[in-house]
Amino acid sequence: MRKKHDWLRETYRKSLEKMPERPVAHRTLSDIAPEPLYTPEDIGVLDPEYEEKRGFPGEYPYTRGVYGSMYRSKLWTMRMFAGFGTAEQTNERFKKLLKAGQTGLSVAFDLPTLMGYDSDHPLAKGEVGKCGVAVSSLADMEILFDGINLEEVTTSMTINSPANAIWAMYLAVAKKRGYDWKKLGGTIQNDILKEFIAQKEFIFPPEPSVKLVIDTFEWGPKNVPKWNFISVSGYHIREAGSTAVQELAWTLADGFEYVEAALKRGLDVDEFAPRISFFFDVHNDFFEEIAKFRAARRIWAKEMRHRYGAKNPQSWMLRTHAQTAGVSLTAQQPLNNIARVAIQALAAVLGGTNSLHTDAYDEALALPTEESATIALRTQQIIAYETGVTHTIDPLAGSYYLEWLTDEMERQAMAIIEEIRRMGGVVRAIEEGYFLRELAEASYRYQQEVERKERIIVGVNAFTDEIPLKVPIQLVDPEVERVQAERLARVRRERDARRVAEALEGLRRAAKEGQNTMPHFVECALAYCTLGEMMDVLREVYGTYQEPAYV
């Protein structure tokens, strides 16, 4: 059995050579200096399953974290989700968050953008800039990142059906400013399967939608090697009403479905797998959430190594973003949400997340104000710098309950994954209405428990005495629609019409012939083709998807 001192000498030392320990006091308030890691050795216990199930940080099966020194060397990325109104307004919010200590950007797009419509489309009326920033062309993207060094800040963009087009616009901004694509870091969500499962922001049928995702798998590693071209997302699955185990299982099943689609195209698993990332929800059941992260890393590592034959250890590592549970926030007694978010964020950190967004307390009421967003960021900073949870790696490991719960979540999640495989995979399960039925059952069962007060929600079904409180509400100015319409008109008037036509025809031809679309999306972006124009080309070729009625 491998000893801790071997891990310290090998893995931990090598990790510190790449990234030294942070220059902070890794000591308790009583001046006790915790070691970087604790194992059964430290309490004189013999655990024959330790190496197989728990192991060491930075080593297979990564239960205790994907990096050798974890937060001793580098804290998780504090990546606050932001976006509203015009590109100018969101750019201003980005700069304020960066000044407040945020370490990565995360872009929320409005509904028309998410659905592939320009801001002046009739279906966009009343929705422009409401739930995120409006982006209809490269002109908007240029303003969105004005004054921000794209080589110094990593950017996450929560976009799915139009992900290729939006990513192309971001890369076009970088190209025009002279940035090296090979130095750019960030993530596009680009997880279309969970749209069919939960969020329902799809445009095209499943098969061509997955094809577009695999285009990024093929093109991304060669052109933007530091970019995560997918963030397989359990967040929206959980927000739609799933249990934690379902979120874990369905998210990993989606990830495996993309791996299999890429392998069918003939791609090398060790070329694309290291750039697959994940995104999980963090709900209120503290230990269950911690166990979920640990089980996710272990399942992914085992399956990638043994089922899909990946040989590169980076292909075995499940790196994940996390977000506190928006669905858990209440409009009643909204200040209670600060406590909820803090507990959820602590669970994400103890679970070993690689980046984190903390929700603002007023999100159940309206768009977060600048003050509430700053409080949410400060919550992460308090956890990072004041609680001591970063002194040692995976500090709750060895807890009888947590280790049992991790094993049980792995067992139940694998049973669900195997069930989906027997059905023929995720796409087949979508077509048969499997996920819809399971979501309906899980969410109904939870709501019944709340109504029977078997589950207590403070301020909702118990302790409901209202505390007088006036929460400031931030609304989006309807003027945003006019600003966006004028900018779009100017873009269409001033761009090179011939270049636009040629770029769109190149995209149409690539889609019809089954070629990789990414080079053509980049050319369209540089030509100032609008998002709606690009998506309309694909609507012509692929058609649109309407979910069938299930009984």
Side-chain angles (χ1 to χ4, degrees):
M1 182 175 172
R2 192 147 180 260
K3 301 293 185 182
K4 187 173 84 171
H5 64 77
D6 296 323
W7 174 83
L8 286 167
R9 186 181 68 253
E10 298 163 7
T11 302
Y12 190 67
R13 181 179 57 80
K14 288 179 183 177
S15 185
L16 294 185
E17 287 172 0
K18 293 181 181 177
M19 192 169 296
E21 287 187 352
R22 292 180 294 119
V24 297
H26 288 296
R27 296 190 302 275
T28 71
L29 294 177
S30 300
D31 208 32
I32 298 170
E35 293 186 30
L37 186 75
Y38 289 88
T39 73
E41 287 180 59
D42 293 287
I43 55 172
V45 172
L46 180 63
D47 181 357
E49 292 187 330
Y50 176 76
E51 202 163 352
E52 178 191 350
K53 284 192 171 181
R54 260 63 77 181
F56 295 92
E59 295 182 5
Y60 180 89
Y62 303 102
T63 309
R64 302 196 65 183
V66 291
Y67 299 121
S69 54
M70 287 301 286
Y71 307 141
R72 294 269 295 200
S73 290
K74 183 180 183 295
L75 295 173
W76 61 93
T77 302
M78 298 181 191
R79 193 185 300 283
M80 300 298 291
F81 196 41
F84 67 97
T86 62
E88 289 90 346
Q89 290 172 305
T90 299
N91 175 264
E92 182 182 359
R93 175 67 64 87
F94 281 167
K95 288 174 178 174
K96 287 179 178 177
L97 285 168
L98 289 169
K99 187 176 180 181
Q102 178 169 305
T103 52
L105 297 175
S106 184
V107 188
F109 296 96
D110 69 0
L111 189 57
T113 305
L114 293 171
M115 298 304 296
Y117 293 114
D118 291 335
S119 295
D120 59 356
H121 191 282
L123 290 177
K125 191 168 182 61
E127 293 291 345
V128 178
K130 286 288 179 70
C131 67
V133 61
V135 173
S136 297
S137 76
L138 179 58
D140 293 316
M141 194 69 83
E142 288 173 312
I143 295 167
L144 186 60
F145 291 99
D146 181 53
I148 296 171
N149 188 324
L150 302 186
E151 288 184 2
E152 293 179 356
V153 173
T154 60
T155 303
S156 173
M157 293 184 285
T158 302
I159 191 90
N160 294 286
S161 276
N164 305 55
I166 292 294
W167 189 28
M169 289 182 195
Y170 184 90
L171 295 176
V173 171
K175 186 179 182 72
K176 289 189 68 176
R177 293 184 187 168
Y179 292 123
D180 183 352
W181 280 1
K182 289 183 167 52
K183 293 180 181 178
L184 299 182
T187 305
I188 43 170
Q189 190 164 100
N190 199 23
D191 176 11
I192 198 61
L193 289 175
K194 63 90 179 172
E195 294 297 333
F196 293 104
I197 291 170
Q199 190 163 250
K200 311 302 182 184
E201 287 170 356
F202 42 69
I203 300 175
F204 319 112
E207 187 175 335
S209 295
V210 172
K211 186 267 181 195
L212 290 171
V213 173
I214 305 306
D215 284 355
T216 66
F217 279 44
E218 182 178 42
W219 187 85
K222 298 180 182 70
N223 294 279
V224 200
K226 291 185 177 181
W227 198 276
N228 301 320
F229 37 75
I230 192 169
S231 176
V232 189
S233 176
Y235 183 85
H236 305 90
I237 291 170
R238 189 68 182 281
E239 295 283 289
S242 80
T243 67
V245 169
Q246 287 172 328
E247 176 197 359
L248 171 61
W250 297 355
T251 305
L252 294 178
D254 284 354
F256 297 139
E257 188 95 350
Y258 293 123
V259 169
E260 290 175 11
L263 292 174
K264 284 179 184 175
R265 190 179 287 197
L267 305 185
D268 180 348
V269 67
D270 285 318
E271 185 168 324
F272 66 80
R275 303 321 305 174
I276 297 174
S277 64
F278 288 81
F279 174 24
F280 287 103
D281 200 303
V282 199
H283 219 288
N284 286 331
D285 195 318
F286 188 68
F287 286 102
E288 183 173 64
E289 295 304 318
I290 298 168
K292 181 178 72 183
F293 285 97
R294 301 171 90 246
R297 287 193 293 271
R298 197 155 72 203
I299 293 171
W300 182 257
K302 288 179 179 179
E303 293 291 289
M304 292 304 294
R305 184 176 186 176
H306 299 299
R307 185 180 184 92
Y308 298 109
K311 295 179 174 60
N312 182 353
Q314 290 191 343
S315 300
W316 309 335
M317 296 179 186
L318 184 148
R319 296 162 300 110
T320 189
H321 175 65
Q323 180 173 333
T324 56
V327 74
S328 74
L329 304 186
T330 64
Q332 302 94 325
Q333 301 180 16
L335 289 182
N336 294 345
N337 295 328
I338 296 175
R340 290 187 178 100
V341 167
I343 292 165
Q344 293 164 6
L346 181 59
V349 170
L350 291 171
T353 191
N354 304 107
S355 68
L356 178 62
H357 165 86
T358 32
D359 292 327
Y361 73 87
D362 54 357
E363 289 191 33
L365 300 170
L367 282 170
T369 63
E370 185 179 329
E371 178 189 43
S372 67
T374 303
I375 290 171
L377 175 59
R378 294 286 181 255
T379 301
Q380 294 198 48
Q381 292 164 336
I382 290 167
I383 291 170
Y385 296 105
E386 297 186 27
T387 63
V389 297
T390 62
H391 291 335
T392 190
I393 302 164
D394 193 22
L396 291 185
S399 154
Y400 299 126
Y401 176 49
L402 181 62
E403 297 299 359
W404 173 84
L405 190 56
T406 301
D407 292 349
E408 182 62 13
M409 293 193 79
E410 178 185 13
R411 184 190 68 78
Q412 290 192 25
M414 279 307 303
I416 294 172
I417 290 168
E418 293 300 341
E419 180 184 7
I420 292 169
R421 284 171 172 162
R422 286 192 297 272
M423 295 173 66
V426 173
V427 172
R428 183 65 179 154
I430 289 167
E431 291 170 348
E432 293 186 4
Y434 165 79
F435 296 106
L436 188 66
R437 289 192 300 271
E438 292 293 312
L439 274 175
E441 172 62 29
S443 55
Y444 177 74
R445 184 170 60 248
Y446 176 81
Q447 186 60 34
Q448 289 291 99
E449 290 172 352
V450 170
E451 291 181 8
R452 290 194 298 261
K453 296 192 177 181
E454 294 170 9
R455 293 193 182 274
I456 298 298
I457 311 296
V458 174
V460 176
N461 64 356
F463 315 108
T464 54
D465 295 342
E466 278 297 329
I467 304 166
L469 177 68
K470 192 170 184 179
V471 177
I473 298 294
Q474 175 164 292
L475 300 175
V476 174
D477 191 337
E479 186 73 359
V480 168
E481 289 197 19
R482 183 190 63 78
V483 171
Q484 281 297 108
E486 288 181 357
R487 183 178 295 143
L488 268 167
R490 187 167 62 252
V491 164
R492 293 182 181 118
R493 186 170 61 247
E494 295 178 357
R495 66 190 182 178
D496 182 336
R498 181 176 178 179
R499 186 179 180 186
V500 168
E502 290 175 352
L504 291 172
E505 181 53 35
L507 178 61
R508 180 180 289 104
R509 187 168 56 251
K512 282 184 175 179
E513 296 175 2
Q515 300 171 11
N516 194 303
T517 55
M518 275 308 301
H520 301 280
F521 275 115
V522 172
E523 177 54 33
C524 285
L526 288 166
Y528 287 84
C529 299
T530 70
L531 177 64
E533 289 168 340
M534 288 185 263
M535 292 300 101
D536 281 347
V537 164
L538 297 188
R539 287 183 179 100
E540 285 176 34
V541 176
Y542 297 144
T544 56
Y545 182 73
Q546 184 170 345
E547 188 174 48
Y550 295 105
V551 293

